[in-house]
């Protein structure tokens, strides 16, 4: 598989959690202690957007899985960013809202189960048409 512009895909986009040491000042503010960040390699996760794996081409450009084309396919011209697709933008907004609700309440909450969240997402989409 390759990017729709024909550029070879070389990796997936990953996040790696880490912690950086800090020191507190007398006034309660803080600064980094200068020892760098300790990475938690066991916490590494592949980045998903709109429910799809994010791939990176050799130029560092990011592509969703659904945007990739077979090796033998001809490169496309006038490639639109993934967020111009209303269905993909809705998935990304829903996933973000559900993750935020679970993080703040500690309980999973599906957008489809809450008419107010569903309406809010529709408004966001309508106001953000590219």
């Amino acid at each position: 598989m390759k990017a729709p512009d024909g550029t070879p895909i070389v990796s997936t986009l990953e996040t790696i959690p880490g912690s950086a040491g800090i020191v507190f000042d007398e006034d309660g503010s803080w600064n980094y202690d200068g020892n760098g960040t300790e990475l938690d390699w066991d916490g590494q996760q592949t980045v998903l957007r709109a429910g799809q794996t994010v791939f990176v081409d050799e130029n560092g450009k990011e592509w969703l899985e659904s945007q990739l084309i077979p090796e033998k396919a001809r490169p496309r011209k006038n490639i639109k960013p993934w967020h111009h697709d209303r269905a993909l933008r809705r998935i990304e907004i829903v996933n973000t809202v559900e993750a935020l609700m679970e993080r703040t309440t500690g309980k999973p909450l599906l957008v489809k189960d809450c008419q107010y969240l569903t309406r809010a997402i529709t408004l966001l989409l309508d106001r953000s048409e590219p």
Side-chain angles (χ1 to χ4, degrees):
M1 300 297 279
K2 60 186 177 182
D5 64 2
T7 308
I9 296 296
V10 296
S11 62
T12 57
L13 185 62
E14 303 287 319
T15 59
I16 303 168
S19 58
I22 60 171
V23 292
F24 284 96
D25 296 327
E26 288 182 19
D27 65 0
S29 63
W30 59 271
N31 286 303
Y32 295 106
D33 66 9
N35 292 326
T37 302
E38 185 175 315
L39 298 177
D40 173 13
W41 292 102
D42 293 334
Q44 181 175 347
Q45 292 185 345
T46 301
V47 173
L48 299 176
R49 287 201 188 109
Q52 297 182 43
T53 300
V54 178
F55 291 90
V56 181
D57 68 22
E58 66 182 13
N59 297 323
K61 193 166 183 181
E62 299 173 7
W63 302 96
L64 294 184
E65 189 170 4
S66 64
Q67 293 179 293
L68 302 184
I69 61 174
E71 285 296 325
K72 294 180 181 180
R74 295 177 66 191
R76 298 182 194 153
K77 295 181 180 179
N78 303 322
I79 302 159
K80 292 182 180 177
W82 70 269
H83 51 80
H84 281 230
D85 183 324
R86 184 180 175 97
L88 292 177
R89 284 196 345 268
R90 184 179 195 293
I91 292 168
E92 182 68 2
I93 291 170
V94 167
N95 289 346
T96 302
V97 169
E98 288 178 349
L100 179 61
M101 293 302 292
E102 185 168 357
R103 196 174 332 149
T104 55
T105 66
K107 301 174 188 172
L109 173 68
L110 299 179
V111 167
K112 68 178 184 171
D113 294 338
C114 181
Q115 68 180 22
Y116 298 111
L117 287 175
T118 302
R119 280 195 281 179
I121 288 170
T122 301
L123 284 172
L124 281 170
L125 281 169
D126 290 344
R127 292 182 181 167
S128 68
E129 289 296 327

